[in-house]
Amino acid sequence: MQTITHHGRTTAYEVSDRGGDGAPVMFVHGSGGTHHLWKSQSRLGDERPVVTLDLSGHGESEDIDADPGYETLSAYADDVLAVAEATDASVVVGNSLGGAIVLHVLLERDHDFDGVVLAGTGAKLAVLDDLREWLADDFDRAVEFLHDEDRLFHDPDPRLEELSIQGMRACGRAVTERDFLTCHEFDVRDEVDAIDGPALCLVGEHDYLTPPHYHEFLAEHIDDCELTVVEQAAHLAMLEQPEAFNAAVSTFCDRVEE
């Protein structure tokens, strides 16, 4: 992996480039994840460079000393912008917490992407009381809950489920809890009308964590925003149905470049 140093820390990222002449697209993972969750999106490298990163404290990136909530969200936004500038990424795709980071950048930072994809996310990302308790006191139960049917996955290949479970365990309880608490505090429902597209909302039809109506709200309130539902998928549609997910992202990137 490559690294970029910014704000006194190092962020790791990877570029998959198979010679495509499209503009680079960057993918931002969600809570307790790493760049490995985007392994199937490397196939888009035939069309354009594909950039994936590890947010601070995840994978190979240095951690931060930040309280959950706005402070953590802002630090993660710094990671995303540093990698975007290093790679000239013009479209950014954010899943779950990654989508919250993208919305934060659009609302509060002086950086204009050519287009954004908001996947498995929402303008408000409240987390169940039970899950927050398990993240604090029973991490195994939290991981089990998230991998129940129609949360992270609808009907996954066991290998994909294991990839997600092991990745979350590698991130560890503290970082994963910080991520979910940051999601819980996130609420920009009163602000999204200020966002101009182009944008694409992309959601698995069985996503219980961030249901389709979250994305309908975003599509209604963001100017020039499309909505696509990925069939037979839940929260991690990019892993569960990569062909449909990639096709939607590719079509959107082509439209942005027209």
Side-chain angles (χ1 to χ4, degrees), residues 9 25 28 33 62 82-84 102 112 121 159 161-162 171 175 181 213-214 225 233 243 245 248:
R9 64 183 182 275
V25 56
V28 185
E62 291 184 32
V83 174
V102 172
D112 291 326
T121 192
R159 293 171 297 179
E161 190 171 37
E162 187 63 21
C171 272
V175 170
L181 292 179
H213 70 83
Y214 281 30
C225 184
E243 291 83 5
F245 188 97

Side-chain angles (χ1 to χ4, degrees), residues 88-107:
D88 294 323
S90 62
V91 172
V92 61
V93 182
N95 173 250
S96 197
L97 172 62
I101 297 165
V102 172
L103 288 169
H104 173 87
V105 169
L106 294 176
L107 290 166

Side-chain angles (χ1 to χ4, degrees), residues 62 76 143 166 190 200 210 221 225 237 239:
E62 291 184 32
Y76 290 163
V143 173
Q166 293 305 317
D190 293 336
L200 169 66
T210 56
H221 288 268
C225 184
L239 277 175

Side-chain angles (χ1 to χ4, degrees), residues 16-22 41-50:
S16 177
D17 187 351
R18 301 179 182 177
D21 57 5
Q41 281 58 62
S42 64
R43 303 170 193 174
L44 292 170
D46 292 332
E47 304 172 7
R48 64 192 70 252
V50 171

